[in-house]
Amino acid sequence: MESLWRSATGQDPSPEDYKGVEFWNSPERAGWLNKQGEYFKTWRRRWFVLKQGKLLWFKDSVVTRASIPRGVIPVNTCLTVKGAEDVLHKPCAFELSTTGQDTMYFIAKSEREKEEWINSIGRSIVQNSRSVTESEVVDYDNRR
């Protein structure tokens, strides 16, 4: 049923969304989280991988080069990542808000794991932000 819904609504990510990301090899962070569905607000256990500025999720923890993610979030579209126990009234909950006005909710298995995910995603947001990149820096000393 879920795969039929995903096909009908075009929810499977395009390979372009994760092109060049070796998600199967030495992720920055990986582990099980419960994720709230976007349309049906049920909770699904998914294997998450944070790698090269992308947060990807899979149905299975055995991730290989041939694995196809169930979803991908480019962290440069993320605005905030923070605890969400007060919103969901569930322990170990956190939320991720994106520039598209979307908020996704997750539940970790422990408070420590929740904090580790928040810190890892937050660090990745900072590292992948578009505030100032080297190509955008003006070298005032070498201008003519």
Side-chain angles (χ1 to χ4, degrees), residues 8-141:
T9 59
Q11 291 299 302
D12 281 321
S14 162
E16 287 299 311
D17 294 340
Y18 52 93
K19 182 178 181 180
V21 179
E22 293 184 1
F23 51 78
W24 61 90
N25 185 23
S26 302
E28 295 156 36
R29 179 143 189 82
W32 289 107
L33 291 170
N34 287 307
K35 176 189 162 302
Q36 189 177 51
E38 189 175 349
Y39 298 105
F40 301 114
K41 301 298 181 189
T42 56
W43 291 94
R44 301 264 189 223
R45 187 170 183 244
R46 297 289 182 243
W47 182 258
F48 281 82
V49 172
L50 180 63
K51 179 78 185 253
Q52 295 172 250
K54 308 281 187 193
L55 182 62
L56 309 100
W57 61 94
F58 303 85
K59 281 183 104 170
D60 191 10
S61 63
V62 178
V63 177
T64 67
R65 183 185 301 259
S67 297
I68 298 173
R70 304 288 294 168
V72 180
I73 302 170
V75 296
N76 66 356
T77 67
C78 297
L79 300 173
T80 61
V81 57
K82 61 185 180 182
E85 289 94 342
D86 55 336
V87 176
L88 296 175
H89 308 292
K90 294 181 181 286
C92 308
F94 66 98
E95 66 181 57
L96 182 61
S97 301
T98 67
T99 55
Q101 307 283 330
D102 293 322
T103 300
M104 299 179 72
Y105 295 102
F106 307 90
I107 299 175
K109 70 179 179 184
S110 69
E111 186 66 24
R112 179 177 176 215
E113 201 166 291
K114 177 193 89 167
E115 291 301 326
E116 289 172 353
W117 274 107
I118 289 173
N119 290 338
S120 296
I121 294 169
R123 200 169 25 258
S124 187
I125 290 170
V126 170
Q127 291 169 348
N128 291 281
S129 70
R130 292 241 333 116
S131 55
V132 178
T133 63
E134 284 186 34
S135 63
E136 296 170 327
V137 174
V138 176
D139 185 353
Y140 290 102
D141 292 335

